[in-house]
């Protein structure tokens, strides 16, 4: 990292620490119902609340109508892979989960509870998730090491009757697909014909391979690269992968029809490079991009420093470049995906979220950007374009209904209006609290 980059990063670290100390965290619980006197608690608590409990006892699904469950999710982590920090533990994960809960509320109108847990095994993690299921309408898995995260997602999706989602997998994969849809339009290429190299074989790219396939990319036209090189069926470590990481093993069998053995061979005539690997720069070499097809698309998604600087990728021949950073064009950000997916899922009381839901949401997000006018430097909306969230929520809800995963039905227009109303109210309430001084604005000297 350059000296100026280090200074800027240190400034954000220091500012975040000061804000956390001054505010005592980022979220709190606010009541929905009016309280004018103690008599009101005869309704909200005993004896009146027994009537609500008795109704739910007869039909547990009424908990989605008579409690906060209809709009509540848990942001669940064991703190084993927090941002780029690694295994820092559940306590150190809490401020990150608070931040994610804030994003859920502001961008999706979703009540999200940060819930870092101290568990030693994946089986313990599953047991905790099962135990808290009655309190929530969904679970967002967050910042969990690989390959444990794959096991947890697969297991909990099968065994819970509420949607379980891992944003480092599905959220990032959905954002990648949304950006790729429009990048391909810019360079006039068809998703069914492209060769894609996925540099890095962790949570994001393993999920991206699956989602890209669901969107029309042939597994044979994908090549995944890990620290030992391209995955392929004849690699010496296949037996080990089969035992320790069956998800990578499965992709090694399905992908890389060319049987490329080196990174250089893999990059030849590739149309798309999606890198979710080690922070850079200089992780992706310019010579590799020069070997790609004309009008190459490069997503360099590592934070805080992309694997190759965007201008260097363009110097090497890339036409469309995206990163994970907000200060460069085309930020591929899973926060575009997760609030709206859960908004739509909660509104139809979903039992699950399939890969096809992610594809539908990615397509809607891409359509929103296309309507605004896509260019090489604008292939995906930013988080500030809040109107995209109700549209994506509506796309998610309709697909969930169509797949028979919903407890209640809806149409696109019905959910669009509902989601727009909920999200706009959430944003307006926060702005009103700030205006009235009930939420203090950040001191100007901290955000210069």
């Amino acid at each position: 990292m350059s000296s100026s980059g280090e200074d800027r990063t240190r400034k954000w670290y220091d500012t975040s620490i000061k804000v956390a100390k001054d505010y005592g965290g980022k979220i709190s619980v606010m009541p929905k119902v009016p309280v004018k006197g103690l008599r009101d608690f005869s309704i909200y608590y005993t004896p009146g609340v027994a009537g609500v409990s008795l109704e739910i006892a007869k039909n547990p699904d009424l908990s989605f109508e008579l409690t906060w469950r209809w709009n509540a999710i848990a942001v669940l982590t064991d703190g084993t892979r927090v941002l780029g920090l690694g295994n820092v533990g559940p306590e150190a994960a809490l401020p990150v989960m608070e931040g994610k809960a804030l994003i859920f509320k502001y961008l999706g109108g979703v009540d999200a509870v940060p819930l870092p847990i101290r568990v030693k095994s994946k089986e313990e993690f599953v047991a905790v998730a099962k135990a808290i299921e009655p309190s929530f309408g969904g679970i967002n898995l967050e910042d969990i090491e690989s390959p444990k995260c794959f096991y947890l997602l697969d297991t909990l999706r099968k065994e819970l009757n509420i949607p379980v989602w891992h944003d480092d997998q599905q959220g990032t994969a959905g954002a990648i697909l949304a950006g790729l849809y429009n990048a391909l339009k810019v360079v006039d290429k068809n998703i069914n014909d492209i060769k894609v190299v996925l540099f890095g074989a962790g949570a994001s790219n393993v999920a991206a391979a699956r989602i890209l396939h669901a969107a029309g990319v042939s597994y044979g036209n994908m090549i995944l690269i890990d620290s030992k090189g391209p995955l392929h069926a004849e690699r010496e470590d296949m037996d080990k992968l089969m035992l320790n990481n069956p998800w990578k093993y499965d992709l090694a069998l399905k992908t890389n029809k060319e049987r490329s053995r080196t990174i250089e061979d893999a990059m030849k005539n590739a149309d798309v490079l999606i890198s979710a690997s080690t922070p850079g720069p200089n992780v992706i070499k310019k010579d590799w991009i020069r070997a790609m097809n004309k009008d190459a698309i490069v997503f360099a998604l590592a934070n805080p420093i992309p694997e190759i600087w965007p201008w260097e990728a363009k110097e090497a021949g890339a036409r469309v470049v995206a990163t994970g950073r907000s200060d460069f064009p085309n930020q591929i950000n899973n926060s575009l995906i997760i609030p709206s997916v859960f908004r739509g899922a909660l509104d139809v009381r979903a039992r699950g979220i399939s890969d096809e839901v992610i594809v539908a949401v990615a397509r809607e997000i891409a359509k929103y950007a296309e309507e605004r006018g896509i260019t090489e430097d604008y292939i995906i909306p930013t988080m500030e374009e809040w109107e995209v969230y109700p549209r994506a929520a509506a796309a998610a809800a309709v697909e969930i209904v169509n797949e028979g995963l919903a407890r209640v039905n809806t149409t696109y227009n019905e959910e669009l209006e509902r989601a727009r109303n909920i999200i706009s109210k959430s944003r307006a309430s926060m702005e009103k609290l700030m205006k009235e001084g009930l939420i203090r604005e950040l001191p100007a000297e901290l955000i210069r």
Side-chain angles (χ1 to χ4, degrees), residues 20-45:
K21 186 174 182 179
D22 189 33
Y23 285 80
K26 293 181 278 289
I27 61 172
S28 65
V29 175
M30 292 286 288
K32 294 179 179 179
V33 294
V35 179
K36 294 185 177 180
L38 292 178
R39 187 172 180 275
D40 292 332
F41 287 101
S42 296
I43 301 171
Y44 307 141
Y45 194 50

Side-chain angles (χ1 to χ4, degrees), residues 261-315:
R261 299 302 204 267
T262 67
I263 296 174
E264 289 77 9
D265 284 343
M267 295 298 297
K268 289 177 182 176
N269 301 317
D271 299 288
V272 178
L273 169 62
I274 298 169
S275 184
S277 181
T278 307
N282 304 320
V283 173
I284 299 296
K285 301 182 185 303
K286 294 173 78 171
D287 284 346
W288 297 347
I289 296 175
R290 291 191 183 100
M292 296 176 69
N293 278 337
K294 184 181 178 183
D295 294 331
I297 297 166
V298 174
F299 289 6
L301 305 181
N303 274 316
I305 306 298
E307 295 90 340
I308 184 170
W309 291 115
W311 52 89
E312 292 182 344
K314 289 207 167 188
E315 288 169 2

Side-chain angles (χ1 to χ4, degrees), residues 51-126:
V52 180
S53 294
L54 289 171
E55 288 298 302
I56 295 173
K58 289 184 285 187
N59 179 7
D61 276 357
L62 287 177
S63 61
F64 291 100
E65 296 181 25
L66 304 179
T67 75
W68 84 325
R69 193 182 183 197
W70 73 273
N71 196 47
I73 68 166
V75 184
L76 193 61
T77 185
D78 60 2
T80 51
R81 195 185 183 281
V82 179
L83 293 177
L85 306 177
N87 188 354
V88 296
E91 289 87 358
L94 182 55
V96 182
M97 302 310 110
E98 282 188 325
K100 187 54 67 73
L102 185 62
I103 287 172
F104 270 113
K105 187 64 176 177
Y106 190 68
L107 298 177
V110 175
D111 295 317
V113 178
L115 205 59
I117 58 175
R118 182 174 288 106
V119 292
K120 293 182 179 179
S121 69
K122 58 182 184 290
E123 290 80 12
E124 283 184 273
F125 196 114
V126 168

Side-chain angles (χ1 to χ4, degrees), residues 306-373:
E307 295 90 340
I308 184 170
W309 291 115
W311 52 89
E312 292 182 344
K314 289 207 167 188
E315 288 169 2
R319 185 170 168 195
V320 179
V321 181
T323 73
R325 286 175 51 150
S326 60
D327 53 349
F328 296 141
N330 299 328
Q331 183 188 24
I332 304 298
N333 189 340
N334 61 17
S335 292
L336 273 176
I337 303 287
I338 53 174
S340 46
V341 166
F342 268 103
R343 176 73 277 138
L346 290 168
D347 287 341
V348 296
R349 317 289 192 262
R351 294 183 173 89
I353 300 172
S354 69
D355 287 350
E356 288 71 26
V357 173
I358 302 167
V359 173
V361 169
R363 190 180 294 116
E364 186 72 16
I365 290 172
K367 182 180 177 183
Y368 174 90
E370 186 179 18
E371 290 169 1
R372 293 175 65 87

